[in-house]
Structure formats: C-alpha cells, structure tokens
Amino acid sequence: MHSSINEFRSLSPGEVQKIGQTRYRDKNYDAALRAFNTAIASYDPVPVELYDNRAATYEKLGERTKALRDAKHMIQLDKSDAKGYLRTGKILRLVGQDRVAVGIYEYGLRNVLTSDPHHKLLQGMLDKLSDLAGNDTNTTYRDPLVVLPTELAYMVFGQIGFYGLMSGLRVSKRWNACLESMTPVWTELDLTRPRKPVRQKALQACLRRANGGIRRAMLGSLPSIGEHVLQQVTTSCKKLECLEIRDCVLGNTLTTAAPQARNLTTLIIRGESQITLGTVAFILSTCPTLVRGEFFSIISSGVVAKWPNDLGRMRHLALVGRAAPPPQTTAVLNLDNLIERAPHLQSLTVAQWMRDIFIYEVPDFRPLYQLEKLDLHHTKFRLFPPLPTSLRWLNVTGMSGLGPNSTIMPLPDMETLLLSECTRLDLPTLEKFLEAGVGKLRNLSLQNCSSLGDVDLLILLGRGWLNGLRELNVEGLLVRDECVEAMLPKMPHLRRINLSLTPITGISLKAIAVKKNSQVRWVNVDDCKQVGLDAVEMLRDKGVRVEFLHTHFSSTSERRIRREAFYV
C-alpha cells in the first residue's frame, strides 16, 4: 500500500483513475487494482464510476465477493444510475444467482429514468435473462433480504415490531442468520403475549440479539414475573428507557430490579399488577432518572406516603387506586408534600380514591405552575382543591366535593373540561369554570350532572361561552329539541355531540341534517326512546355516524331493528 501511495504521490485522484483504466485495458489487473484502491482512498465522495472500475477488476481477478460488494455499493451511492444494477446483475449471473439478478434488474427499472442511455440496456438484460430462465423467473416471489440493499432492509425490519422479528427468525436459516446479526433493529422486547412461561434461556437469546440495545421492554399477561426475568432485563439492557408491566404479580421483584436501570425515564405499571403505595414511593426515590411514572391499581398500605426529596425531573405522574379496594382500606397520599417536591409536573393523575382517605386532606395544586393536564376522576376531597391557572385539560368526573360552595380559580387556557357525574354541580359553579376562558373551550362533558338542564344550557349559549366547542356531552340531562335547535347556529364548530338518555325526538336529528355547513360528524342517541329510524337514516345519509342502541326493548325483533339502524 505504501509503495502504491509513493507511486501516485504527485498525481490527482482523477489521473490515478485514468492510469488504472489504461492498465485494465492492458490486462494488467493487479496494477490496475492498486491504482483504483489509491484513487478511492483519495476521493471524497467517491464517484460511482470508480467503484465500477474496481468491481470489474475484482471480477477479472476472480474475487467475485469483493466485486459484488462494490457493485451493491454503487446502487447505494446512486439509485438512479443504471451502472450499479448492470454490474450487480452481471456478477450475480456469474455466480449462478439468476433469480436474484432478475430482481436487481426489476428494482433498477423502477429507479432509473427512461431518459437514461443505459435504461434500454437494463430492460434488455432483464428480457434476455427472463427468456433464458423460462417461466420460473417470472414468479412474484422475491426474498427481500437478497434483493433489498442492506440499509433498506434495516429500515423495513425496524418497523415490524418484536413479534414480527420473532416470526422472521423462523422463515429460513438465511433469515435467522441475517436477523440475528441485525443488532440495531432489536430495540424492543415485548413479552405481553406469551403462550407459555418465559424461560431464562429464551430471554437470554432475546437479550443477546440486542447486545444491550433494547430501549423499551414490555412485560405482561404472566401469572408472575420471576425475579430472573425482570432482573436480567434491567441489568442487561444498558440503554433501557421505557419499562411497562401489565397484569403481573410483582412481589418484591420490582423494588430490586428497577433501580438497576440507570437510564430509565418511563415506568408504567398497569392492569391488575399488584403494587402498594409504599412501593410507589420507594421506586420514585430509587429511580432518579424517571420523567414519566404511571402506577395503576395501587393497593393502599395504610400509612402516610413518604415521597422522595427531589422529584424535579418528573414531568408526568399517575397514581390510580384500585377500582374496588377492600372495605377497610385507608391511605394518605400526602399530596401537598408531593406537589412541593415535584414542582415541574406537566400532567398529574390522582384517580379512583373514593373512600374517606382524603377527609383531612385538601391539596393545593397552584404551585404546579407548569401543570397542563389534571385528572382527579372519582377521587374524594373534603373541599374542591385550588387549581393552577395553567391548566388546559381537567377531569373531575364523579367528584362529590364539587358544588355550590366550591371555590373555583379562573382557568383562562382551559380546552377540555370533564365534569361528568358531578350531581351537585349547578349553573353558577359551572359559570366560574367557563367565564375566564371564553371561546377557548373545545370539549365539555356534563354527563349525568342531574342539577343542570336545557334552561342552563340556553343561558350559557346566550352568553357565548360555548361558541368554540368541538365536542359536547349532555348524556342524561333534561335536554329537549328546542335546546338542540338553539345550539346549532351558536356552535358552528361542533363535530361530536352525545345526546343519549335525553328526551329529544327525531326533530333534533333532522335539524342537524338540514343545517347548512354543519360540521357535526358523530351523534350518540342511545336510549333516546322518542327517536325514530327515519331520522337516524336521514342523518346517516348526510355522512354522519349515528350511534343508536337501546338497552331496554319490548321484543327481540325490535332489538335487531334498532341495531341495524347503526350497523347497516
């Protein structure tokens, strides 16, 4: 190599290439190869023609593997240049891979412009090879690992997911070997659908393929997670960022395994996985890199939650109790302490804590100045808590503490407001939510708010507080046709409306159907007993999706007819 460098030291890469071409014509292939190697080392970027020269030289020297490598590199450099496909096809034919050569020619014809002077030659080679091989080469079967360039194969297999890759391992020995070597595509471990218990040997094989590159691991639908499974995942996957566990019996495994994941930013425990409030606090204190933590079906431990001193990195946190906790369950979430130590939260969920656990606790959420999403559904407070003005999304479904005496802070940026099942909610309280953000509210749910009716809605419409709504849920309210007809012209952007369990008739649906420039695309009229099929069909003919089912029927045939109104 040093002698070749000295030989061409005073020459430009283009001049060295010309010398190599001269030596090639003189059949001095070893000398030509030295010239082409020197030129390639000097060029940046390397022209396609130079790789073509070296591939031809390798071909003459009988080094067809190296020739094929250069030919494929030509395609990678410029997919619109026919020379790469012609050279690759020629070498493949020399090694007896006519079927693959046909695939290369076909791939080239899809990428090379018809104006290219070599396009006709490419087509001619395809036709010639097809005629020689007969009908067998006209099959639609193509092995993508053979035909596709390597970087394109990586892109394809990087999109098919864990179970797709596992299926690919069983296609053939060639696929198995190729996928085993494609370390970058094994970034996900998904054990949420195992058909039998996960053995340590199988887990080790998955981790070996990834070579520590797994970034997301999902474990679930297992009777229990053996300590070896979770421990191996968190210790072997050095780049693990997201860990999700569903419907698993954890025991003490999580408290020992989770802290081993040094780069973990997201931890989600959902489904029927058993986790105590004390375990949640321990995990947050031993995993300082967490940005998102979601914990569902928390078992109350009967003690005051002790939150870590510094949760400054935490941006999204969900603490969801069990839907049906034991009768004597008690817990104190110590939310004021949590709020003080996690000041940068952007979304917070404290849901399904309905027992008398908050009788002495009324948290103040105002210090969370970056909080945009707050979910407090089916959570019991002695009084309605103070809220930060930064909120854009609020869910207080089923909150019994929301009523006439509640103190409501102005929420000027509110876009989604879910007040379902707040049976003590009255008009003055609702006005406090709406008055600060006139025109910004996009989604409002008043489902089963029994203290409200169509008169209250008409008052809000008259004040212009519902003009910007895209979605409205008034299920179970006393809303009549007159109210719906009054809504339509004053809510021009409305796209979805839930009118189920209201006393409306087909007049409301026909009003929606005939409204000019109506934006409504979805209507729910379940259990609206005075709505007829003709009105439903009329609205469906306008391209509106209508849900129209009844839970109580006089006969089986009527049930069938009602369902057909939606599904036909």
Side-chain angles (χ1 to χ4, degrees):
M1 183 67 183
H2 289 291
S3 60
S4 63
I5 293 176
N6 293 331
E7 180 183 3
F8 306 114
R9 177 174 295 176
S10 61
L11 302 177
S12 68
E15 293 172 331
V16 176
Q17 182 182 1
K18 290 180 180 179
I19 291 174
Q21 292 170 344
T22 301
R23 292 176 177 179
Y24 179 88
R25 287 193 293 269
D26 295 337
K27 299 184 179 181
N28 189 358
Y29 301 122
D30 288 324
L33 181 61
R34 289 197 300 270
F36 293 141
N37 284 336
T38 303
I40 287 175
S42 303
Y43 261 116
D44 186 20
V46 181
V48 172
E49 184 182 5
L50 187 51
Y51 275 116
D52 190 27
N53 295 154
R54 192 171 72 171
T57 306
Y58 277 134
E59 179 185 327
K60 293 296 184 180
L61 292 172
E63 299 186 47
R64 291 172 179 171
T65 301
K66 293 182 179 180
L68 185 60
R69 182 188 60 195
D70 276 354
K72 289 185 175 180
H73 199 55
M74 293 169 63
I75 297 175
Q76 296 172 7
L77 286 175
D78 189 355
K79 291 184 173 62
S80 63
D81 193 331
K83 296 176 185 176
Y85 304 103
L86 290 169
R87 178 65 62 186
T88 304
K90 180 182 179 181
I91 298 170
L92 287 171
R93 291 174 61 195
L94 290 174
V95 298
Q97 296 191 33
D98 289 357
R99 185 191 299 275
V100 182
V102 169
I104 290 294
Y105 291 145
E106 290 177 342
Y107 182 62
L109 289 172
R110 292 197 298 270
N111 292 287
V112 177
L113 298 175
T114 55
S115 58
D116 189 297
H118 295 94
H119 186 276
K120 290 184 179 180
L121 180 58
L122 193 61
Q123 182 66 60
M125 294 303 298
L126 175 62
D127 296 339
K128 179 181 178 180
L129 191 57
S130 299
D131 292 341
L132 290 174
N135 294 330
D136 184 59
T137 59
N138 291 327
T139 177
T140 57
Y141 170 77
R142 296 289 183 270
D143 187 342
L145 287 180
V146 175
V147 177
L148 295 179
T150 303
E151 73 279 5
L152 189 56
Y154 270 83
M155 293 174 62
V156 171
F157 286 105
Q159 299 296 319
I160 64 176
F162 178 78
Y163 284 98
L165 291 171
M166 294 299 292
S167 298
L169 292 172
R170 299 189 291 270
V171 170
S172 65
K173 290 183 178 180
R174 177 183 177 82
W175 275 52
N176 185 288
C178 288
L179 290 176
E180 287 274 3
S181 66
M182 288 185 176
T183 300
V185 305
W186 296 92
T187 60
E188 182 180 281
L189 175 67
D190 188 349
L191 301 180
T192 56
R193 294 178 288 166
R195 287 178 288 183
K196 55 185 179 180
V198 180
R199 296 183 179 180
Q200 187 169 2
K201 186 176 180 180
L203 178 62
Q204 287 175 342
C206 293
L207 299 178
R208 185 191 69 250
R209 294 185 195 102
N211 193 25
I214 291 177
R215 297 181 180 275
R216 183 185 183 194
M218 294 172 286
L219 313 175
S221 300
L222 301 171
S224 63
I225 294 183
E227 185 173 351
H228 73 278
V229 175
L230 197 53
Q231 195 76 29
Q232 275 194 287
V233 169
T234 55
T235 55
S236 301
C237 304
K238 303 299 183 182
K239 297 181 180 180
L240 186 65
E241 297 175 355
C242 176
L243 175 61
E244 184 172 347
I245 302 175
R246 309 176 187 176
D247 301 316
C248 297
V249 179
L250 296 172
N252 296 323
T253 307
L254 185 64
T255 57
T256 57
Q260 303 298 321
R262 303 298 183 184
N263 296 310
L264 192 66
T265 59
T266 299
L267 176 62
I268 301 174
I269 312 294
R270 62 171 70 250
E272 295 302 317
S273 300
Q274 298 179 11
I275 185 170
T276 66
L277 187 58
T279 300
V280 172
F282 179 82
I283 292 297
L284 293 179
S285 64
T286 54
C287 298
T289 57
L290 281 180
V291 175
R292 177 185 295 272
E294 299 181 12
F295 306 93
F296 295 79
S297 297
I298 299 175
I299 302 172
S300 305
S301 57
V303 298
V304 177
K306 297 180 180 180
W307 306 111
N309 292 329
D310 184 11
L311 291 173
R313 288 176 59 91
M314 187 67 65
R315 296 295 183 271
H316 310 278
L317 180 62
L319 304 172
V320 182
R322 299 186 68 184
Q328 303 303 320
T329 296
T330 59
V332 179
L333 293 187
N334 200 9
L335 288 179
D336 280 329
N337 182 260
L338 174 64
I339 291 168
E340 179 184 354
R341 299 179 180 187
H344 305 301
L345 283 175
Q346 296 173 3
S347 69
L348 175 63
T349 298
V350 182
Q352 293 185 184
W353 301 92
M354 284 301 292
R355 298 190 179 275
D356 294 335
I357 58 174
F358 289 117
I359 191 74
Y360 302 111
E361 190 173 0
V362 181
D364 186 351
F365 294 100
R366 286 176 295 183
L368 300 176
Y369 63 96
Q370 297 181 23
L371 193 68
E372 295 185 354
K373 181 177 181 179
L374 180 60
D375 188 347
L376 303 174
H377 75 270
H378 295 107
T379 294
K380 182 177 181 179
F381 293 106
R382 180 168 53 87
L383 298 173
F384 190 76
L387 305 176
T389 57
S390 58
L391 283 180
R392 296 177 180 274
W393 192 99
L394 176 64
N395 183 1
V396 291
T397 295
M399 183 178 288
S400 57
L402 181 59
N405 297 323
S406 299
T407 301
I408 310 299
M409 305 297 295
L411 303 173
D413 298 321
M414 184 60 60
E415 296 177 357
T416 296
L417 183 59
L418 309 179
L419 305 172
S420 302
E421 302 175 27
C422 294
T423 55
R424 298 176 61 235
L425 178 67
D426 58 0
L427 180 61
T429 306
L430 179 57
E431 287 177 324
K432 294 177 184 178
F433 279 108
L434 301 178
E435 61 186 356
V438 177
K440 291 188 177 181
L441 193 64
R442 298 293 180 263
N443 182 3
L444 176 63
S445 178
L446 302 174
Q447 177 180 340
N448 295 327
C449 293
S450 53
S451 298
L452 299 174
D454 52 5
V455 174
D456 301 305
L457 291 177
L458 290 171
I459 292 174
L460 295 176
L461 286 170
R463 294 176 180 174
W465 290 353
L466 305 181
N467 291 1
L469 282 184
R470 268 65 168 174
E471 299 184 32
L472 176 63
N473 184 353
V474 290
E475 176 181 338
L477 271 61
L478 189 61
V479 175
R480 301 178 179 84
D481 294 327
E482 295 81 2
C483 182
V484 175
E485 290 179 307
M487 286 181 186
L488 297 176
K490 294 186 178 181
M491 300 168 65
H493 307 294
L494 188 66
R495 299 184 63 85
R496 297 169 60 91
I497 183 168
N498 187 347
L499 296 167
S500 58
L501 286 169
T502 61
I504 66 165
T505 69
I507 294 175
S508 294
L509 299 191
K510 292 177 180 178
I512 297 174
V514 300
K515 182 182 180 299
K516 292 183 179 180
N517 301 320
S518 174
Q519 300 294 315
V520 177
R521 293 295 177 265
W522 180 89
V523 177
N524 188 339
V525 287
D526 288 348
D527 291 310
C528 292
K529 299 180 180 179
Q530 300 183 60
V531 173
L533 291 176
D534 57 337
V536 172
E537 292 294 343
M538 181 179 182
L539 191 54
R540 292 182 69 245
D541 288 342
K542 296 291 185 178
V544 179
R545 179 179 177 182
V546 182
E547 295 196 20
F548 181 43
L549 298 176
H550 282 197
T551 56
H552 302 288
F553 303 94
S554 59
S555 67
T556 302
S557 60
E558 185 180 355
R559 183 185 296 111
R560 179 180 61 80
I561 292 172
R562 294 292 191 182
R563 287 183 179 274
E564 287 179 351
F566 171 58
Y567 288 110
V568 170

